[in-house]
Amino acid sequence: SAKAAGSNQWAFFKQQMTERAAVRLRTEASLHDALKNNEFVLYFQPKFDLKTNKVVSCEALIRWQQDGRLISPMSFIPVAEETGIIVPIGRWVIEQSCKVLRDWQRKYNYVIPIAVNVASQQFADASLVPDIKQLALRYQIRPEQLEIEITETSLMNDIEQAIAKLEQLKSAGFRIAVDDFGTGYSSLSYLRHLPITTMKIDRCFVTDLPHDSAIASTILMLGQQLNLEIVAEGIENEEQLSWLNDHNCPIGQGFFFSQPLPLDEFETKYLAGQTAEIVTL
Ligand code: C2E
Ligand code: MG
Ligand code: MG
Ligand code: MG
């Protein structure tokens, strides 16, 4: 009967929900363990000045080392966000990045800024700003060496709150980038009031270059008007790069230059004897 079928469906639905909740709990528990057991690792991807081909900064990207395998952030960051454990994971990322900055100062007497990704929930957390300030103090890093990458969506969740927080970070000297720009729902009127330093053109608009350049040109123009630094993400080939160069995009990042690298490899390539390391393409 229809009634029996309906109740069967309900039972099925309930069972699915329970399974999903169980998977989530298991993943949450293992993310806790991963943090405790030091199973996370940061990779670093360089960002290049497109005019000089010099490395001017980098982005820290998290991976999960599990039994010799590297797990992509795409497969655990969403769960970490759903369960809230993104807050301590994100704090670990910031602390680790501060340590790396301190070590670069000591080892190379040469430091390039590190950008860290901050998730929505982490951005909304009251401890974010005091944590960042405290960590910068503890590791004695200059605030302009740390850049916070936030997506448009995180900013638009609670715009007033976001502006207040960014104001605190920016006045303390930290750099702030809007990540994946163009894919969220920024209100252009608010964009003017956001105390940000950088906009990152999302990879999907770079992929379309040079054939479909409407969005990339618009973002570049917007950046120039608002006096913001623009970074193009996901540059994979020469054609994309030369379009960006021709249109005065100042900074770029992508597999064409380099994949994200383990710390030691990144240091060897881009920090050790950096004066001799000017990359020519
Ligand atoms: P994102 O912040 O937009 O980072 C850029 C992603 O694009 C990275 O993927 C990077 O490896 C990849 N990428 C860079 N250049 C290219 C390219 O030329 N072609 C292609 N196809 N991909 C390119 P990854 O490392 O897998 O990270 C994915 C996303 O996971 C990040 O996107 C970010 O949203 C999130 N994520 C990574 N690390 C963290 C973290 O520490 N905290 C938080 N909250 N999120 C993170
Ligand atoms: Mg990012
Ligand atoms: Mg991005
Ligand atoms: Mg992204």
Side-chain angles (χ1 to χ4, degrees):
S1 71
K3 201 177 162 196
S7 116
N8 266 341
Q9 257 174 7
W10 174 242
F12 178 67
F13 176 71
K14 259 202 333 197
Q15 185 200 334
Q16 272 205 321
M17 290 307 286
T18 313
E19 273 171 18
R20 235 209 249 158
V23 167
R24 211 179 60 189
L25 274 176
R26 265 204 309 278
T27 312
E28 185 183 8
S30 50
L31 285 170
H32 267 287
D33 289 344
L35 201 51
K36 211 174 57 197
N37 301 331
N38 240 329
E39 291 172 19
F40 293 116
V41 62
L42 293 181
Y43 273 47
F44 296 84
Q45 188 180 34
K47 301 187 200 178
F48 287 78
D49 179 317
L50 298 187
K51 287 276 179 284
T52 64
N53 286 325
K54 269 192 170 177
V55 176
V56 286
S57 67
C58 64
E59 178 172 6
L61 295 154
I62 197 170
R63 276 98 183 83
W64 183 1
Q65 276 179 312
Q66 214 180 39
D67 317 311
R69 286 184 313 145
L70 277 187
I71 300 178
S72 148
M74 258 114 72
S75 64
F76 65 87
I77 291 288
V79 187
E81 292 209 53
E82 242 181 90
T83 57
I85 196 181
I86 191 64
V87 175
I89 292 177
R91 191 182 187 283
W92 177 87
V93 171
I94 296 170
E95 175 154 19
Q96 208 58 27
S97 300
C98 289
K99 274 190 203 167
V100 168
L101 287 166
R102 179 201 58 190
D103 292 348
W104 285 349
Q105 183 62 53
R106 287 184 181 166
K107 280 169 77 175
Y108 304 104
N109 194 26
Y110 176 70
V111 181
I112 55 172
I114 298 179
V116 296
N117 291 283
V118 167
S120 256
Q121 212 190 341
Q122 184 189 0
F123 184 64
D125 196 86
S127 66
L128 180 78
V129 176
D131 273 0
I132 290 178
K133 287 184 177 173
Q134 190 205 19
L135 289 168
L137 262 182
R138 181 182 315 156
Y139 292 98
Q140 301 210 301
I141 65 139
R142 295 213 315 272
E144 64 271 22
Q145 291 170 347
L146 193 68
E147 183 165 74
I148 310 297
E149 290 193 6
I150 310 170
T151 61
E152 278 178 272
T153 322
S154 314
L155 296 175
M156 296 303 144
N157 278 343
D158 181 348
I159 187 75
E160 298 303 328
Q161 176 77 356
I163 290 175
K165 247 177 224 194
L166 296 183
E167 215 56 89
Q168 293 173 48
L169 288 170
K170 199 183 175 193
S171 65
F174 298 99
R175 303 179 52 78
I176 300 151
V178 179
D179 205 353
D180 305 344
F181 188 79
T183 61
Y185 297 93
S186 282
S187 142
L188 290 180
S189 60
Y190 275 121
L191 197 59
R192 266 190 315 161
H193 302 298
L194 286 177
I196 56 177
T197 46
T198 307
M199 287 199 292
K200 297 187 79 177
I201 307 177
D202 192 72
R203 186 174 80 226
C204 68
F205 307 118
V206 173
T207 304
D208 293 341
L209 299 175
H211 314 289
D212 182 353
S213 59
I215 306 289
S217 324
T218 305
I219 298 176
L220 280 166
M221 268 193 305
L222 194 60
Q224 276 152 19
Q225 292 292 316
L226 297 175
N227 207 11
L228 297 172
E229 176 186 86
I230 304 283
V231 177
E233 296 192 276
I235 303 172
E236 290 185 345
N237 60 52
E238 193 114 42
E239 290 70 43
Q240 295 163 349
L241 175 61
S242 52
W243 187 94
L244 288 161
N245 229 332
D246 292 346
H247 292 79
N248 295 315
C249 178
I251 296 169
Q253 176 183 3
F255 295 169
F256 182 70
F257 294 107
S258 171
Q259 300 259 337
L261 300 172
L263 179 61
D264 54 349
E265 223 173 293
F266 184 87
E267 290 185 356
T268 311
K269 263 201 152 126
Y270 300 113
L271 289 154
Q274 54 79 30
T275 44
E277 270 290 323
I278 296 170
V279 180
T280 43
L281 291 168

